[in-house]
Amino acid sequence: MTDRLSSRSDIGPADAIVVGAGPNGLAAAVTLARAGLDVLVIERSATIGGGARTAELTLPGFRHDVGSAVHPLALASGFFRRFELDRRIELRVPDASYGHPLDGARAAIAWHDLDRTAEGLGADGAAWRRLFAPLVARSQEVAQFTGSPLLRVPPHLGTALRFGLRALEQGTPLWGERFRGEEAPALLTGVAAHSIQPMPSLGTAGVALSLGTAAHAGGWPVPVGGSQAIADALADDLRAHGGRIVTGVQVESLGDLPRSPIVLLDTSPAALIAIAGDALPDAYRRRLEDYRYGNGVAKVDFALDAPVPWAAADLAAVPTLHLGGSREEIAYGELEVASGRHATSPYVLVAQPSVIDATRTPAGKHTLWAYTHVPAGSTLDPTEAVTRQIERFSPGFRDVIIASAASSAAQMEHGNPNYLGGDIAVGAPSLVQLAARPVLSRDPWRTPVPGLYLCSSATPPGPGVHGLAGAYAARSALRHELGIHRLPHLGIDR
């Protein structure tokens, strides 16, 4: 149940207002507060965090991540590096970043150690090393390039060229030329499928290369206690610098807001249209209306009585797994979803954070987080399809389930209105929409309405828990509204 702002007498004017307390909204708020502004954050839900929340979804004592569970960008993000996130919360980096089970009790594993990964891929090991070694050696430059708007000249042209050439290879029909076996291409395709797009494409290749580089550089960390720890660290810093957070309040129009010269919306472009209303110029509104949303995810959380009995024993300690079989099988399943059908053999992204973080469950128990890709707006309960695909690679999985909680794509949107049709990326992350997100502009966070900015994943650099979209929007607001060009200090106060 949410309140209207008009019914809250305790909410007064502020130097800046942020609507939405997801990672990007909180990152924007922290940046503005660190610049000395009085910041008010307004969140419709009862709790903060958006896509980085943790809650007891199945049984008491079992803490499940409502949105993302593993955070490849927590160590790579320029914002989180400046914020010193790794000093504020405990991030556990596993030896294996992600794994990919295959039929016949086989598995390919992307270890944090690139050389160990190559050794495990047999005849394709050298090809994997050649693909990633130049990027891993320049991982911070890769993170800076992929975490910046595409319309800006990259600061490290050599790295951008290396990345681009590899994306051209893995994003076109040439993607099968590098490898000879089944394990290496499946391993790469499982990461590419995070994009929820047909494959191969330049967009899916870019996702695979950026996340793959992070896997072998900083690793894919798991926050101890759940993803909520990230949101809480941001909120704690905001409050320490005078910021305020109000939850359980619905914003329906700009007229609902207290007086403020700066407003940032951590919302979808559709919500921007609804909230700004007639204040938006017609031409800009039409561009927002042309913004395309992607397909959705349907999610299942499991409470388990024992570890998952993976047929490939090495997967027992790997927090992140990509299920779906071979490269060809995953690509076909993603094509089915893009064509408006539920996949015959679905891609399932699995996280088992309790193998590295025992605080998530009662002693001896485990949690499993899983989602699959479905057509936008699907109302199908994914429990059986997800369970069947997990059972394919871990016979006996059904026997260790003690409870589950599912959300269809439609229910994902109900829980977070930014996820239109279940689209957790808040807009299809195609190459075109990574350049024009949500509009083609060198400053896409700034709207034509004076003082109004968009700071969600619908702005560069796009989806992911990295805080960068919020930080970029805040910097744009500071520059245009207050003439502040220098980024404030974001690290731990000394």
Side-chain angles (χ1 to χ4, degrees):
M1 186 71 179
T2 57
D3 296 332
R4 291 292 301 275
L5 275 170
S6 58
S7 69
R8 298 287 297 263
S9 59
D10 59 333
I11 302 175
D15 295 333
I17 293 175
V18 178
V19 177
N24 282 315
L26 291 171
V30 164
T31 304
L32 295 169
R34 287 297 194 109
L37 278 65
D38 173 30
V39 180
L40 170 65
V41 177
I42 302 172
E43 168 58 45
R44 68 177 291 277
S45 298
T47 57
I48 65 168
R53 289 187 295 130
T54 305
E56 293 182 339
L57 300 178
T58 55
L59 297 171
F62 289 82
R63 291 179 57 77
H64 304 272
D65 290 314
V66 176
S68 52
V70 180
H71 296 274
L73 303 178
L75 297 173
S77 160
F79 171 78
F80 282 141
R81 287 202 305 272
R82 291 186 178 90
F83 185 67
E84 298 181 284
L85 179 66
D86 60 335
R87 295 186 58 202
R88 298 172 187 264
I89 67 174
E90 185 177 355
L91 292 166
R92 291 188 181 163
V93 179
D95 290 337
S97 293
Y98 59 94
H100 194 112
L102 291 162
D103 293 322
R106 296 173 297 140
I109 297 178
W111 299 96
H112 187 188
D113 186 324
L114 176 60
D115 288 335
R116 184 178 180 183
T117 304
E119 289 171 6
L121 292 175
D124 280 331
W128 186 274
R129 186 184 288 108
R130 286 193 299 271
L131 180 66
F132 279 107
L135 302 180
V136 173
R138 300 165 180 83
S139 60
Q140 289 196 8
E141 295 177 7
V142 170
Q144 188 174 359
F145 166 62
T146 57
S148 300
L150 292 185
L151 292 184
R152 295 185 180 178
V153 176
H156 306 286
L157 287 174
T159 298
L161 180 61
R162 290 182 181 91
F163 188 95
L165 289 174
R166 286 163 172 75
L168 281 172
E169 173 199 309
Q170 289 301 313
T172 66
L174 294 173
W175 74 334
E177 297 300 312
R178 178 178 292 265
F179 302 117
R180 296 293 174 264
E182 185 180 16
E183 287 82 357
L187 191 62
L188 194 59
T189 305
V191 186
H194 281 237
S195 61
I196 321 180
Q197 295 277 305
M199 296 179 279
S201 73
L202 294 177
T204 60
V207 168
L209 292 171
S210 61
L211 294 181
T213 299
H216 296 307
W220 285 12
V222 174
V224 171
S227 297
Q228 188 72 50
I230 297 175
D232 289 347
L234 290 164
D236 288 346
D237 189 85
L238 172 63
R239 294 188 182 103
H241 292 85
R244 296 168 284 156
I245 301 175
V246 175
T247 59
V249 175
Q250 178 75 41
V251 175
E252 295 184 353
S253 73
L254 293 177
D256 289 341
L257 297 174
R259 188 173 68 256
S260 178
I262 299 172
V263 174
L264 289 84
L265 303 181
D266 184 8
T267 68
S268 68
L272 168 59
I273 294 172
I275 292 171
D278 293 340
L280 292 176
D282 290 343
Y284 183 77
R285 176 195 294 271
R286 286 194 295 270
R287 292 163 72 189
L288 293 181
E289 290 171 343
D290 288 339
Y291 185 73
R292 188 167 58 84
Y293 297 90
N295 283 305
V297 304
K299 181 171 177 282
V300 190
D301 289 283
F302 296 95
L304 307 178
D305 195 38
V308 179
W310 298 108
D314 286 347
L315 298 179
V318 182
T320 305
L321 303 170
H322 304 129
L323 280 59
S326 67
R327 163 172 276 187
E328 294 74 20
E329 188 177 356
I330 293 174
Y332 182 74
E334 294 299 281
L335 181 61
E336 286 184 290
V337 173
S339 301
R341 305 189 301 272
H342 290 91
T344 307
S345 177
Y347 169 83
V348 177
L349 177 56
V350 167
Q352 42 184 12
S354 54
V355 303
I356 197 171
D357 176 16
T359 69
R360 308 291 186 98
T361 64
K365 310 300 181 183
H366 286 272
T367 61
L368 194 79
W369 172 110
Y371 77 56
T372 187
H373 299 161
V374 295
S378 168
T379 59
L380 181 70
D381 183 321
T383 305
E384 179 55 31
V386 167
T387 302
R388 190 186 314 117
Q389 191 70 300
I390 297 174
E391 180 90 6
R392 169 183 170 185
F393 301 105
S394 58
F397 171 66
R398 293 180 190 271
D399 298 333
V400 301
I401 300 171
I402 52 179
S404 65
S407 292
S408 67
Q411 290 168 325
M412 293 290 288
E413 178 181 348
H414 180 75
N416 188 333
N418 279 355
Y419 299 162
L420 271 76
D423 174 12
I424 59 173
V426 196
S430 62
L431 185 65
V432 171
Q433 284 204 164
L434 288 176
R437 195 168 184 91
V439 298
L440 191 65
S441 170
R442 289 183 59 81
D443 193 351
W445 310 276
R446 187 186 186 196
T447 79
V449 179
L452 181 63
Y453 295 79
L454 187 65
C455 67
S456 69
S457 294
T459 64
V465 178
H466 45 59
L468 286 166
Y472 284 140
R475 291 178 67 176
S476 179
L478 290 172
R479 184 171 63 252
H480 290 293
E481 308 303 326
L482 299 172
I484 298 175
H485 293 265
R486 186 173 180 179
L487 183 70
H489 171 69
L490 297 173
I492 296 173
D493 293 329
R494 294 175 175 83

Coordinates of all heavy atoms in Angstrom, one line a residue, residues 1 9 63 79 114 131 254 256-257 272 321 326 338 349 396 418 424 460 472 477 494:
M1 N 0.9 -1.2 0.0 CA 0.0 0.0 0.0 C 0.9 1.2 0.0 O 1.8 1.4 0.8 CB -0.9 0.0 1.2 CG -1.9 1.1 1.3 SD -3.2 0.9 0.0 CE -4.2 2.3 0.4
S9 N 2.6 15.2 5.5 CA 3.0 16.5 6.0 C 4.4 16.6 6.4 O 4.9 17.7 6.6 CB 2.1 17.0 7.1 OG 2.2 16.0 8.2
R63 N 17.0 -16.2 3.2 CA 17.1 -14.9 2.6 C 17.4 -15.0 1.1 O 18.4 -15.5 0.7 CB 18.1 -14.0 3.3 CG 17.7 -13.7 4.7 CD 18.7 -12.8 5.5 NE 19.0 -11.6 4.8 CZ 18.3 -10.5 4.8 NH1 17.1 -10.5 5.4 NH2 18.7 -9.4 4.1
F79 N 31.9 3.9 -10.5 CA 31.2 4.5 -9.4 C 31.5 3.7 -8.1 O 31.9 4.3 -7.1 CB 29.7 4.6 -9.6 CG 29.0 5.0 -8.4 CD1 29.0 6.4 -8.0 CD2 28.3 4.1 -7.6 CE1 28.3 6.8 -6.8 CE2 27.7 4.5 -6.4 CZ 27.7 5.8 -6.0
L114 N 42.3 -16.9 -15.4 CA 42.2 -17.2 -16.8 C 42.9 -18.4 -17.3 O 42.4 -19.2 -18.1 CB 42.6 -15.9 -17.6 CG 42.6 -16.0 -19.1 CD1 41.2 -16.3 -19.6 CD2 43.2 -14.7 -19.7
L131 N 41.3 -14.8 -26.8 CA 40.1 -14.0 -26.8 C 40.1 -13.0 -25.6 O 39.8 -11.8 -25.8 CB 38.8 -14.9 -26.8 CG 37.5 -14.1 -26.8 CD1 37.2 -13.4 -28.1 CD2 36.3 -15.1 -26.5
L254 N 4.8 15.4 -11.5 CA 5.7 16.4 -10.9 C 5.0 17.3 -9.9 O 5.6 17.8 -9.0 CB 6.3 17.2 -12.1 CG 7.2 16.4 -13.0 CD1 7.7 17.4 -14.2 CD2 8.4 15.8 -12.3
D256 N 3.1 16.5 -7.7 CA 3.0 15.9 -6.4 C 4.2 16.2 -5.5 O 4.2 16.1 -4.3 CB 2.9 14.3 -6.5 CG 1.6 13.8 -7.1 OD1 0.6 14.6 -7.0 OD2 1.6 12.7 -7.6
L257 N 5.3 16.6 -6.2 CA 6.6 16.7 -5.5 C 6.7 18.0 -4.7 O 6.2 19.1 -5.1 CB 7.7 16.6 -6.5 CG 7.9 15.3 -7.2 CD1 9.0 15.4 -8.3 CD2 8.2 14.2 -6.3
L272 N 8.4 8.2 -16.9 CA 8.8 9.6 -17.1 C 7.7 10.3 -17.9 O 7.3 11.5 -17.5 CB 10.1 9.7 -17.9 CG 10.5 11.0 -18.5 CD1 10.7 12.1 -17.4 CD2 11.8 10.9 -19.3
L321 N 25.5 -20.2 -12.4 CA 25.5 -21.2 -13.5 C 24.6 -20.8 -14.6 O 23.5 -20.1 -14.3 CB 25.0 -22.5 -12.9 CG 25.8 -23.1 -11.7 CD1 25.1 -24.3 -11.1 CD2 27.2 -23.5 -12.1
S326 N 24.0 -26.7 -25.2 CA 25.0 -26.2 -26.1 C 24.7 -24.8 -26.6 O 23.6 -24.3 -26.4 CB 25.0 -27.2 -27.4 OG 23.8 -27.0 -28.1
A338 N 12.3 -14.5 -28.5 CA 12.2 -13.3 -29.3 C 11.0 -13.3 -30.3 O 10.5 -12.3 -30.7 CB 13.5 -13.1 -30.0
L349 N 19.2 -19.0 -15.8 CA 20.3 -18.4 -15.1 C 20.1 -18.8 -13.6 O 19.1 -18.5 -13.0 CB 20.3 -16.9 -15.3 CG 21.4 -16.1 -14.5 CD1 22.8 -16.6 -14.8 CD2 21.2 -14.6 -14.9
G396 N 17.7 -35.6 -9.2 CA 17.5 -35.6 -7.7 C 17.2 -34.2 -7.1 O 17.0 -34.1 -5.9
N418 N 9.2 -0.5 -13.1 CA 10.2 -0.2 -14.1 C 10.4 -1.4 -15.1 O 10.8 -1.2 -16.2 CB 11.6 0.1 -13.4 CG 11.7 1.5 -12.9 OD1 10.8 2.3 -13.1 ND2 12.8 1.8 -12.2
I424 N 13.8 -6.7 -17.1 CA 14.6 -6.3 -16.0 C 15.7 -5.3 -16.5 O 16.4 -4.7 -15.7 CB 15.2 -7.4 -15.2 CG1 16.1 -8.3 -16.2 CG2 14.2 -8.3 -14.5 CD1 16.9 -9.4 -15.5
P460 N 22.4 5.4 -20.3 CA 23.7 4.8 -20.3 C 24.3 4.7 -18.9 O 24.1 5.6 -18.1 CB 24.6 5.7 -21.2 CG 23.6 6.4 -22.1 CD 22.4 6.6 -21.2
Y472 N 26.1 9.4 -13.4 CA 26.2 10.2 -14.6 C 25.1 11.3 -14.6 O 25.3 12.4 -15.0 CB 26.1 9.4 -15.9 CG 27.3 8.6 -16.2 CD1 27.2 7.3 -16.7 CD2 28.6 9.1 -16.1 CE1 28.3 6.6 -17.1 CE2 29.7 8.4 -16.4 CZ 29.6 7.1 -16.9 OH 30.7 6.4 -17.3
A477 N 23.3 16.9 -13.7 CA 22.5 17.9 -13.0 C 23.4 18.9 -12.3 O 23.1 20.1 -12.3 CB 21.6 17.2 -12.0
R494 N 37.6 10.2 5.8 CA 38.7 9.9 6.6 C 39.0 11.1 7.6 O 38.6 12.2 7.4 CB 40.0 9.7 5.8 CG 39.9 8.4 4.9 CD 41.0 8.3 3.9 NE 41.0 7.1 3.2 CZ 40.2 6.9 2.1 NH1 39.5 7.9 1.6 NH2 40.2 5.8 1.4

